[in-house]
Amino acid sequence: MNANTDFRMPARRFTATAAATVLAAGPMVLAGAGSAHASADHGRASAVVLRTGLDVSLLNKTVNVPLAVSLNEVRAPRSAERTALTARLDGVDGGQPFSVLRADVASAKATVSASGAEASTNLTHARIHVPGLPLLSLIEVGQVTSKATCEAGRKPAASATLLGGVTVLGKKVTLTVGGPTEVKVPGVGEVRIDFSKTRTTSRTAAASALELHVSVNPLKLNVADVEGTLTLGSVTCESPSAAPASAPAPASVSAPDIKPQGAPAKSGLAETGGTSTTPFVVGAAVVLLAAGGAAVALGRRHRS
């Protein structure tokens, strides 16, 4: 008697546990079958008024001192505006700070939204200096602007404009879009300038108003050579990514009251009705029947 009681209790517990597992699994399976929704990407934008990548060689040292600075480098949704930038290099002019850029206006803006991304720069009455040339400007410009626009559903666009005169190493020059302009000054150095470089793809746009490739040898303030690049008015943008289209829900259509030939007159499922949980109820019943059958078989073996 005690043996039968000890056997029946685990069997009952197993049956209840199996049924609860099947019923509990139903809602979890339904929840996992829901559609996933990805958040929309609002795109990207960035702008910088001036970026330098120069190597400065010193007269009394066998090393190069890098000059890598950026003015008003912003990424959406920030904006910034300044009118001057100074830098300090060890070994140059006794370690005193020198002015890299002076301008009446030096602004950079970048914005993003669900409809698109945009970046722009504006530089007015600007003068750029490099180490070793404290009095002679590397370049002077009246006004230079750049802009990149990436609107959702439209082709991105990029542009750069130049207004007023341009002076390079004390020489007035005329810049052209078709190719680089080279300026050489004996005893000072040379500068190659690319004006209004733009590029676009299906989702991105970029522009740089001026790109300068510099090679000067001032031989002043303990500076032997200055080589590298300067970029004025650099902007980039990327259009918002298209949100994934959700699959439309199937339309509810009432089936006509037509009985197929050879089909039984009545269906048990049609009589009792079926819902979304019917498969789980049936599954639970199957588990209960299997557990009950196993319990009966084990009981008979125990009695024998």
Side-chain angles (χ1 to χ4, degrees):
M1 183 66 181
N2 291 336
N4 291 341
T5 302
D6 293 339
F7 166 74
R8 289 172 185 173
M9 289 302 294
R12 291 174 182 173
R13 290 175 182 172
F14 169 76
T15 304
T17 303
T21 301
V22 174
L23 293 176
M28 295 176 63
V29 174
L30 289 176
S35 58
H37 298 278
S39 59
D41 181 9
H42 284 181
R44 297 171 180 82
S46 65
V48 60
V49 169
L50 170 67
R51 181 182 292 115
T52 68
L54 300 173
D55 285 329
V56 181
S57 298
L58 305 182
L59 285 175
N60 58 354
K61 295 183 179 180
T62 59
V63 296
N64 291 338
V65 181
L67 175 60
V69 294
S70 297
L71 170 63
N72 291 5
E73 183 169 9
V74 295
R75 300 180 184 275
R78 295 172 53 200
S79 64
E81 182 171 352
R82 289 174 60 186
T83 58
L85 175 69
T86 61
R88 187 190 301 269
L89 289 178
D90 293 336
V92 177
D93 194 16
Q96 297 297 317
F98 65 94
S99 174
V100 179
L101 170 68
R102 290 192 179 276
D104 292 346
V105 176
S107 64
K109 296 181 180 180
T111 59
V112 294
S113 65
S115 60
E118 183 176 287
S120 63
T121 65
N122 182 20
L123 194 60
T124 304
H125 297 151
R127 297 169 299 281
I128 297 175
H129 293 268
V130 295
L133 294 176
L135 302 178
L136 181 62
S137 299
L138 179 70
I139 185 173
E140 297 181 12
V141 296
Q143 183 179 20
V144 60
T145 63
S146 60
K147 187 175 183 179
T149 304
C150 298
E151 296 184 13
R154 293 188 179 183
K155 183 178 179 180
S159 63
T161 60
L162 177 64
L163 300 175
V166 178
T167 302
V168 179
L169 295 177
K171 285 187 174 182
K172 289 187 176 295
V173 298
T174 300
L175 304 182
T176 59
V177 180
T181 301
E182 295 185 0
V183 179
K184 297 182 180 181
V185 177
V188 178
E190 61 184 59
V191 179
R192 190 186 71 187
I193 307 173
D194 289 294
F195 167 58
S196 186
K197 296 184 67 174
T198 62
R199 60 186 182 275
T200 60
T201 66
S202 59
R203 286 190 58 198
T204 64
S208 56
L210 294 174
E211 289 187 2
L212 287 74
H213 298 266
V214 180
S215 178
V216 298
N217 50 347
L219 300 179
K220 294 180 180 180
L221 301 180
N222 198 35
V223 176
D225 296 288
V226 179
E227 294 188 0
T229 61
L230 295 96
T231 302
L232 283 82
S234 177
V235 291
T236 65
C237 67
E238 182 178 351
S239 301
S241 60
S246 57
S252 177
V253 180
S254 299
D257 189 13
I258 300 176
K259 296 179 181 180
Q261 295 181 358
K266 295 183 179 180
S267 172
L269 183 60
E271 289 178 357
T272 59
T275 66
S276 59
T277 59
T278 299
F280 305 109
V281 176
V282 174
V286 171
V287 172
L288 291 173
L289 290 175
V296 172
L298 290 175
R300 290 179 177 175
R301 290 179 183 177
H302 184 73
R303 292 191 186 95
S304 60

